[in-house]
Amino acid sequence: MSFFLPKLQTKKDIDHIIKTVAERVLVLRFGRDQDPVCLQLDEILSKTAHDLSKMAAIYLVDVDSVPIYTRYFDISYIPSTVFFFNGQHMKVDYGSPDHTKFVGCFKTKQDFIDLIEVIFRGAMRGKLIVHSPIDPRNIPKYELLYHGI
């Protein structure tokens, strides 16, 4: 399903999209096209892209093609989904230590739709961090490992 969504190949493409998408949530899915979990997430993203087109712009980013952003957002697990609004990085409190990205696949299309709606409404009110509407049981669990601290 990833062939239905636009792909960003270079740092320049990503910078341009972050700066130019206005009044909508920018969704960047970092992952690999061949990864089965990424394909599962891509299916959810592509099925909801049309319904959310007034609220969100969804793009795919291959982690191997832009290592600078992979390091910047600390993408150590794929898929990881990062959100922006009017060029501002939006953070979401999922009840986990990392608020900068969603790691893993959404369990349902409705979980993703609800999250985009909450981010959009919060961003329109000027908030930079919002509380996740997703049931904590539907959020993948992982441990952050900090090396060299």
Side-chain angles (χ1 to χ4, degrees), residues 98-133:
D98 189 2
H99 302 319
T100 60
K101 60 190 169 289
F102 184 87
V103 177
C105 184
F106 296 96
K107 296 281 187 212
T108 64
K109 287 187 336 183
Q110 194 59 49
D111 283 345
F112 179 66
I113 292 169
D114 292 345
L115 181 61
I116 294 300
E117 287 177 351
V118 166
I119 293 171
F120 181 78
R121 288 189 184 125
M124 292 300 280
R125 292 185 189 126
K127 294 183 177 182
L128 297 178
I129 186 166
V130 296
H131 183 72
S132 172

mmCIF file of all heavy atoms in Angstrom, residues 98-133:
data_model
loop_
_atom_site.group_PDB
_atom_site.id
_atom_site.type_symbol
_atom_site.label_atom_id
_atom_site.label_comp_id
_atom_site.label_asym_id
_atom_site.label_seq_id
_atom_site.Cartn_x
_atom_site.Cartn_y
_atom_site.Cartn_z
ATOM 1 N N ASP A 98 9.063 8.693 25.661
ATOM 2 C CA ASP A 98 9.367 9.443 24.445
ATOM 3 C C ASP A 98 8.097 10.087 23.890
ATOM 4 O O ASP A 98 7.170 9.398 23.475
ATOM 5 C CB ASP A 98 9.974 8.508 23.401
ATOM 6 C CG ASP A 98 10.514 9.245 22.199
ATOM 7 O OD1 ASP A 98 10.450 10.484 22.178
ATOM 8 O OD2 ASP A 98 10.995 8.570 21.273
ATOM 9 N N HIS A 99 8.059 11.416 23.866
ATOM 10 C CA HIS A 99 6.897 12.150 23.355
ATOM 11 C C HIS A 99 7.119 12.654 21.935
ATOM 12 O O HIS A 99 6.253 13.305 21.379
ATOM 13 C CB HIS A 99 6.583 13.355 24.245
ATOM 14 C CG HIS A 99 6.322 13.011 25.675
ATOM 15 N ND1 HIS A 99 5.581 11.919 26.055
ATOM 16 C CD2 HIS A 99 6.681 13.635 26.816
ATOM 17 C CE1 HIS A 99 5.508 11.878 27.379
ATOM 18 N NE2 HIS A 99 6.174 12.901 27.862
ATOM 19 N N THR A 100 8.289 12.392 21.356
ATOM 20 C CA THR A 100 8.634 12.997 20.073
ATOM 21 C C THR A 100 8.112 12.222 18.867
ATOM 22 O O THR A 100 8.017 12.774 17.785
ATOM 23 C CB THR A 100 10.159 13.136 19.927
ATOM 24 O OG1 THR A 100 10.748 11.839 20.008
ATOM 25 C CG2 THR A 100 10.721 14.039 21.011
ATOM 26 N N LYS A 101 7.771 10.948 19.049
ATOM 27 C CA LYS A 101 7.343 10.131 17.914
ATOM 28 C C LYS A 101 6.494 8.960 18.397
ATOM 29 O O LYS A 101 6.551 8.581 19.565
ATOM 30 C CB LYS A 101 8.552 9.606 17.147
ATOM 31 C CG LYS A 101 9.476 8.745 17.988
ATOM 32 C CD LYS A 101 10.773 8.454 17.264
ATOM 33 C CE LYS A 101 11.802 7.825 18.156
ATOM 34 N NZ LYS A 101 12.379 8.699 19.142
ATOM 35 N N PHE A 102 5.699 8.404 17.473
ATOM 36 C CA PHE A 102 4.951 7.190 17.755
ATOM 37 C C PHE A 102 5.738 6.038 17.163
ATOM 38 O O PHE A 102 6.035 6.031 15.967
ATOM 39 C CB PHE A 102 3.547 7.250 17.131
ATOM 40 C CG PHE A 102 2.695 6.060 17.462
ATOM 41 C CD1 PHE A 102 1.940 6.050 18.615
ATOM 42 C CD2 PHE A 102 2.665 4.952 16.623
ATOM 43 C CE1 PHE A 102 1.154 4.949 18.929
ATOM 44 C CE2 PHE A 102 1.887 3.851 16.930
ATOM 45 C CZ PHE A 102 1.124 3.852 18.092
ATOM 46 N N VAL A 103 6.074 5.070 17.989
ATOM 47 C CA VAL A 103 6.875 3.934 17.526
ATOM 48 C C VAL A 103 5.961 2.724 17.356
ATOM 49 O O VAL A 103 5.211 2.374 18.261
ATOM 50 C CB VAL A 103 8.003 3.609 18.526
ATOM 51 C CG1 VAL A 103 8.783 2.383 18.078
ATOM 52 C CG2 VAL A 103 8.918 4.802 18.688
ATOM 53 N N GLY A 104 6.028 2.116 16.168
ATOM 54 C CA GLY A 104 5.229 0.933 15.900
ATOM 55 C C GLY A 104 4.055 1.250 14.994
ATOM 56 O O GLY A 104 3.993 2.293 14.358
ATOM 57 N N CYS A 105 3.114 0.310 14.958
ATOM 58 C CA CYS A 105 1.951 0.437 14.087
ATOM 59 C C CYS A 105 0.711 0.725 14.926
ATOM 60 O O CYS A 105 0.582 0.213 16.039
ATOM 61 C CB CYS A 105 1.765 -0.863 13.300
ATOM 62 S SG CYS A 105 0.420 -0.781 12.117
ATOM 63 N N PHE A 106 -0.175 1.535 14.392
ATOM 64 C CA PHE A 106 -1.453 1.773 15.059
ATOM 65 C C PHE A 106 -2.289 0.507 14.955
ATOM 66 O O PHE A 106 -2.275 -0.174 13.932
ATOM 67 C CB PHE A 106 -2.184 2.949 14.402
ATOM 68 C CG PHE A 106 -1.448 4.248 14.544
ATOM 69 C CD1 PHE A 106 -0.618 4.704 13.530
ATOM 70 C CD2 PHE A 106 -1.565 5.009 15.693
ATOM 71 C CE1 PHE A 106 0.075 5.889 13.651
ATOM 72 C CE2 PHE A 106 -0.870 6.202 15.824
ATOM 73 C CZ PHE A 106 -0.051 6.650 14.805
ATOM 74 N N LYS A 107 -3.023 0.176 16.020
ATOM 75 C CA LYS A 107 -3.832 -1.046 16.019
ATOM 76 C C LYS A 107 -5.007 -0.943 15.055
ATOM 77 O O LYS A 107 -5.363 -1.913 14.408
ATOM 78 C CB LYS A 107 -4.363 -1.337 17.427
ATOM 79 C CG LYS A 107 -3.292 -1.621 18.441
ATOM 80 C CD LYS A 107 -2.786 -3.020 18.331
ATOM 81 C CE LYS A 107 -1.836 -3.280 19.480
ATOM 82 N NZ LYS A 107 -0.784 -4.186 19.177
ATOM 83 N N THR A 108 -5.631 0.258 14.988
ATOM 84 C CA THR A 108 -6.795 0.433 14.122
ATOM 85 C C THR A 108 -6.692 1.763 13.374
ATOM 86 O O THR A 108 -5.960 2.658 13.786
ATOM 87 C CB THR A 108 -8.109 0.451 14.930
ATOM 88 O OG1 THR A 108 -8.108 1.591 15.787
ATOM 89 C CG2 THR A 108 -8.265 -0.821 15.766
ATOM 90 N N LYS A 109 -7.477 1.870 12.306
ATOM 91 C CA LYS A 109 -7.553 3.132 11.574
ATOM 92 C C LYS A 109 -8.103 4.225 12.490
ATOM 93 O O LYS A 109 -7.656 5.365 12.431
ATOM 94 C CB LYS A 109 -8.482 2.998 10.362
ATOM 95 C CG LYS A 109 -7.929 2.215 9.234
ATOM 96 C CD LYS A 109 -8.781 2.225 7.981
ATOM 97 C CE LYS A 109 -10.228 2.490 8.172
ATOM 98 N NZ LYS A 109 -11.039 2.416 6.959
ATOM 99 N N GLN A 110 -9.066 3.862 13.330
ATOM 100 C CA GLN A 110 -9.692 4.852 14.201
ATOM 101 C C GLN A 110 -8.699 5.433 15.203
ATOM 102 O O GLN A 110 -8.768 6.619 15.526
ATOM 103 C CB GLN A 110 -10.905 4.255 14.923
ATOM 104 C CG GLN A 110 -11.790 5.286 15.571
ATOM 105 C CD GLN A 110 -12.342 6.292 14.568
ATOM 106 O OE1 GLN A 110 -12.864 5.915 13.521
ATOM 107 N NE2 GLN A 110 -12.217 7.566 14.881
ATOM 108 N N ASP A 111 -7.749 4.631 15.688
ATOM 109 C CA ASP A 111 -6.712 5.150 16.586
ATOM 110 C C ASP A 111 -5.920 6.260 15.899
ATOM 111 O O ASP A 111 -5.660 7.308 16.491
ATOM 112 C CB ASP A 111 -5.746 4.036 17.019
ATOM 113 C CG ASP A 111 -6.324 3.134 18.094
ATOM 114 O OD1 ASP A 111 -7.339 3.499 18.713
ATOM 115 O OD2 ASP A 111 -5.730 2.059 18.317
ATOM 116 N N PHE A 112 -5.557 6.028 14.638
ATOM 117 C CA PHE A 112 -4.792 7.033 13.897
ATOM 118 C C PHE A 112 -5.630 8.281 13.642
ATOM 119 O O PHE A 112 -5.159 9.406 13.827
ATOM 120 C CB PHE A 112 -4.278 6.436 12.575
ATOM 121 C CG PHE A 112 -3.508 7.414 11.745
ATOM 122 C CD1 PHE A 112 -2.294 7.919 12.183
ATOM 123 C CD2 PHE A 112 -4.002 7.849 10.525
ATOM 124 C CE1 PHE A 112 -1.576 8.837 11.423
ATOM 125 C CE2 PHE A 112 -3.304 8.763 9.756
ATOM 126 C CZ PHE A 112 -2.088 9.258 10.207
ATOM 127 N N ILE A 113 -6.876 8.102 13.228
ATOM 128 C CA ILE A 113 -7.765 9.241 12.976
ATOM 129 C C ILE A 113 -7.946 10.074 14.242
ATOM 130 O O ILE A 113 -7.853 11.302 14.211
ATOM 131 C CB ILE A 113 -9.126 8.753 12.422
ATOM 132 C CG1 ILE A 113 -8.944 8.182 11.016
ATOM 133 C CG2 ILE A 113 -10.156 9.874 12.430
ATOM 134 C CD1 ILE A 113 -10.150 7.434 10.476
ATOM 135 N N ASP A 114 -8.190 9.407 15.367
ATOM 136 C CA ASP A 114 -8.372 10.119 16.647
ATOM 137 C C ASP A 114 -7.119 10.911 17.007
ATOM 138 O O ASP A 114 -7.207 12.049 17.468
ATOM 139 C CB ASP A 114 -8.705 9.144 17.772
ATOM 140 C CG ASP A 114 -10.085 8.505 17.616
ATOM 141 O OD1 ASP A 114 -10.894 9.009 16.809
ATOM 142 O OD2 ASP A 114 -10.346 7.502 18.307
ATOM 143 N N LEU A 115 -5.955 10.313 16.805
ATOM 144 C CA LEU A 115 -4.697 10.989 17.132
ATOM 145 C C LEU A 115 -4.503 12.235 16.268
ATOM 146 O O LEU A 115 -4.149 13.304 16.777
ATOM 147 C CB LEU A 115 -3.514 10.035 16.978
ATOM 148 C CG LEU A 115 -2.144 10.620 17.316
ATOM 149 C CD1 LEU A 115 -2.100 11.076 18.778
ATOM 150 C CD2 LEU A 115 -1.049 9.597 17.052
ATOM 151 N N ILE A 116 -4.762 12.122 14.980
ATOM 152 C CA ILE A 116 -4.614 13.280 14.076
ATOM 153 C C ILE A 116 -5.580 14.390 14.487
ATOM 154 O O ILE A 116 -5.210 15.567 14.520
ATOM 155 C CB ILE A 116 -4.829 12.874 12.605
ATOM 156 C CG1 ILE A 116 -3.717 11.936 12.151
ATOM 157 C CG2 ILE A 116 -4.908 14.105 11.703
ATOM 158 C CD1 ILE A 116 -2.317 12.522 12.223
ATOM 159 N N GLU A 117 -6.812 14.025 14.832
ATOM 160 C CA GLU A 117 -7.786 15.041 15.257
ATOM 161 C C GLU A 117 -7.327 15.768 16.514
ATOM 162 O O GLU A 117 -7.441 16.994 16.607
ATOM 163 C CB GLU A 117 -9.153 14.405 15.487
ATOM 164 C CG GLU A 117 -9.856 14.020 14.202
ATOM 165 C CD GLU A 117 -11.178 13.320 14.438
ATOM 166 O OE1 GLU A 117 -11.508 12.973 15.596
ATOM 167 O OE2 GLU A 117 -11.912 13.124 13.441
ATOM 168 N N VAL A 118 -6.780 15.030 17.480
ATOM 169 C CA VAL A 118 -6.306 15.644 18.725
ATOM 170 C C VAL A 118 -5.102 16.550 18.457
ATOM 171 O O VAL A 118 -5.018 17.659 18.987
ATOM 172 C CB VAL A 118 -5.984 14.559 19.780
ATOM 173 C CG1 VAL A 118 -5.188 15.119 20.938
ATOM 174 C CG2 VAL A 118 -7.269 13.915 20.279
ATOM 175 N N ILE A 119 -4.171 16.085 17.630
ATOM 176 C CA ILE A 119 -3.006 16.906 17.295
ATOM 177 C C ILE A 119 -3.461 18.173 16.564
ATOM 178 O O ILE A 119 -3.014 19.275 16.881
ATOM 179 C CB ILE A 119 -1.988 16.117 16.446
ATOM 180 C CG1 ILE A 119 -1.369 14.998 17.272
ATOM 181 C CG2 ILE A 119 -0.898 17.041 15.912
ATOM 182 C CD1 ILE A 119 -0.514 14.034 16.458
ATOM 183 N N PHE A 120 -4.368 18.030 15.611
ATOM 184 C CA PHE A 120 -4.851 19.173 14.830
ATOM 185 C C PHE A 120 -5.531 20.199 15.743
ATOM 186 O O PHE A 120 -5.222 21.389 15.691
ATOM 187 C CB PHE A 120 -5.821 18.687 13.748
ATOM 188 C CG PHE A 120 -6.356 19.781 12.877
ATOM 189 C CD1 PHE A 120 -5.576 20.322 11.864
ATOM 190 C CD2 PHE A 120 -7.640 20.276 13.061
ATOM 191 C CE1 PHE A 120 -6.066 21.331 11.053
ATOM 192 C CE2 PHE A 120 -8.136 21.285 12.257
ATOM 193 C CZ PHE A 120 -7.348 21.817 11.246
ATOM 194 N N ARG A 121 -6.441 19.740 16.587
ATOM 195 C CA ARG A 121 -7.156 20.668 17.484
ATOM 196 C C ARG A 121 -6.211 21.334 18.473
ATOM 197 O O ARG A 121 -6.320 22.532 18.751
ATOM 198 C CB ARG A 121 -8.267 19.932 18.218
ATOM 199 C CG ARG A 121 -9.426 19.582 17.319
ATOM 200 C CD ARG A 121 -10.602 19.040 18.106
ATOM 201 N NE ARG A 121 -11.645 18.623 17.185
ATOM 202 C CZ ARG A 121 -12.172 17.424 17.159
ATOM 203 N NH1 ARG A 121 -11.767 16.507 18.013
ATOM 204 N NH2 ARG A 121 -13.117 17.129 16.299
ATOM 205 N N GLY A 122 -5.277 20.560 19.027
ATOM 206 C CA GLY A 122 -4.306 21.129 19.959
ATOM 207 C C GLY A 122 -3.414 22.153 19.282
ATOM 208 O O GLY A 122 -3.155 23.228 19.824
ATOM 209 N N ALA A 123 -2.961 21.843 18.079
ATOM 210 C CA ALA A 123 -2.087 22.760 17.345
ATOM 211 C C ALA A 123 -2.822 24.047 16.979
ATOM 212 O O ALA A 123 -2.249 25.130 17.048
ATOM 213 C CB ALA A 123 -1.552 22.078 16.087
ATOM 214 N N MET A 124 -4.099 23.941 16.639
ATOM 215 C CA MET A 124 -4.881 25.134 16.305
ATOM 216 C C MET A 124 -5.050 26.047 17.526
ATOM 217 O O MET A 124 -5.255 27.243 17.381
ATOM 218 C CB MET A 124 -6.261 24.752 15.748
ATOM 219 C CG MET A 124 -6.199 24.088 14.389
ATOM 220 S SD MET A 124 -5.445 25.096 13.106
ATOM 221 C CE MET A 124 -6.812 26.143 12.687
ATOM 222 N N ARG A 125 -4.940 25.468 18.716
ATOM 223 C CA ARG A 125 -5.015 26.252 19.958
ATOM 224 C C ARG A 125 -3.637 26.704 20.433
ATOM 225 O O ARG A 125 -3.516 27.280 21.513
ATOM 226 C CB ARG A 125 -5.678 25.427 21.053
ATOM 227 C CG ARG A 125 -7.135 25.149 20.803
ATOM 228 C CD ARG A 125 -7.756 24.433 21.986
ATOM 229 N NE ARG A 125 -9.085 23.985 21.648
ATOM 230 C CZ ARG A 125 -9.509 22.747 21.760
ATOM 231 N NH1 ARG A 125 -8.693 21.805 22.217
ATOM 232 N NH2 ARG A 125 -10.733 22.428 21.417
ATOM 233 N N GLY A 126 -2.588 26.377 19.679
ATOM 234 C CA GLY A 126 -1.242 26.814 20.021
ATOM 235 C C GLY A 126 -0.465 25.868 20.916
ATOM 236 O O GLY A 126 0.626 26.198 21.373
ATOM 237 N N LYS A 127 -0.992 24.683 21.162
ATOM 238 C CA LYS A 127 -0.282 23.713 22.006
ATOM 239 C C LYS A 127 0.811 23.019 21.202
ATOM 240 O O LYS A 127 0.651 22.736 20.019
ATOM 241 C CB LYS A 127 -1.258 22.663 22.551
ATOM 242 C CG LYS A 127 -2.270 23.237 23.502
ATOM 243 C CD LYS A 127 -3.146 22.134 24.053
ATOM 244 C CE LYS A 127 -4.128 22.693 25.058
ATOM 245 N NZ LYS A 127 -4.956 21.639 25.639
ATOM 246 N N LEU A 128 1.928 22.734 21.879
ATOM 247 C CA LEU A 128 3.028 22.002 21.238
ATOM 248 C C LEU A 128 3.085 20.552 21.680
ATOM 249 O O LEU A 128 3.812 19.743 21.094
ATOM 250 C CB LEU A 128 4.364 22.686 21.544
ATOM 251 C CG LEU A 128 4.495 24.108 21.010
ATOM 252 C CD1 LEU A 128 5.833 24.699 21.417
ATOM 253 C CD2 LEU A 128 4.325 24.136 19.511
ATOM 254 N N ILE A 129 2.350 20.214 22.746
ATOM 255 C CA ILE A 129 2.253 18.831 23.204
ATOM 256 C C ILE A 129 0.800 18.554 23.554
ATOM 257 O O ILE A 129 0.122 19.393 24.143
ATOM 258 C CB ILE A 129 3.199 18.544 24.402
ATOM 259 C CG1 ILE A 129 3.183 17.057 24.759
ATOM 260 C CG2 ILE A 129 2.864 19.410 25.590
ATOM 261 C CD1 ILE A 129 4.305 16.618 25.678
ATOM 262 N N VAL A 130 0.319 17.388 23.132
ATOM 263 C CA VAL A 130 -1.059 16.987 23.402
ATOM 264 C C VAL A 130 -1.054 15.606 24.050
ATOM 265 O O VAL A 130 -0.074 14.870 23.947
ATOM 266 C CB VAL A 130 -1.918 16.976 22.117
ATOM 267 C CG1 VAL A 130 -2.052 18.374 21.539
ATOM 268 C CG2 VAL A 130 -1.363 16.016 21.086
ATOM 269 N N HIS A 131 -2.157 15.282 24.690
ATOM 270 C CA HIS A 131 -2.300 13.965 25.327
ATOM 271 C C HIS A 131 -2.927 12.992 24.328
ATOM 272 O O HIS A 131 -3.914 13.317 23.677
ATOM 273 C CB HIS A 131 -3.158 14.078 26.583
ATOM 274 C CG HIS A 131 -3.281 12.784 27.324
ATOM 275 N ND1 HIS A 131 -2.235 12.238 28.026
ATOM 276 C CD2 HIS A 131 -4.311 11.921 27.440
ATOM 277 C CE1 HIS A 131 -2.622 11.092 28.564
ATOM 278 N NE2 HIS A 131 -3.877 10.882 28.212
ATOM 279 N N SER A 132 -2.372 11.819 24.207
ATOM 280 C CA SER A 132 -2.839 10.827 23.244
ATOM 281 C C SER A 132 -4.237 10.310 23.604
ATOM 282 O O SER A 132 -4.489 9.930 24.745
ATOM 283 C CB SER A 132 -1.870 9.650 23.205
ATOM 284 O OG SER A 132 -2.413 8.609 22.419
ATOM 285 N N PRO A 133 -5.144 10.257 22.604
ATOM 286 C CA PRO A 133 -6.472 9.691 22.844
ATOM 287 C C PRO A 133 -6.501 8.168 22.708
ATOM 288 O O PRO A 133 -7.522 7.547 22.953
ATOM 289 C CB PRO A 133 -7.308 10.339 21.739
ATOM 290 C CG PRO A 133 -6.341 10.460 20.605
ATOM 291 C CD PRO A 133 -5.021 10.797 21.257
#
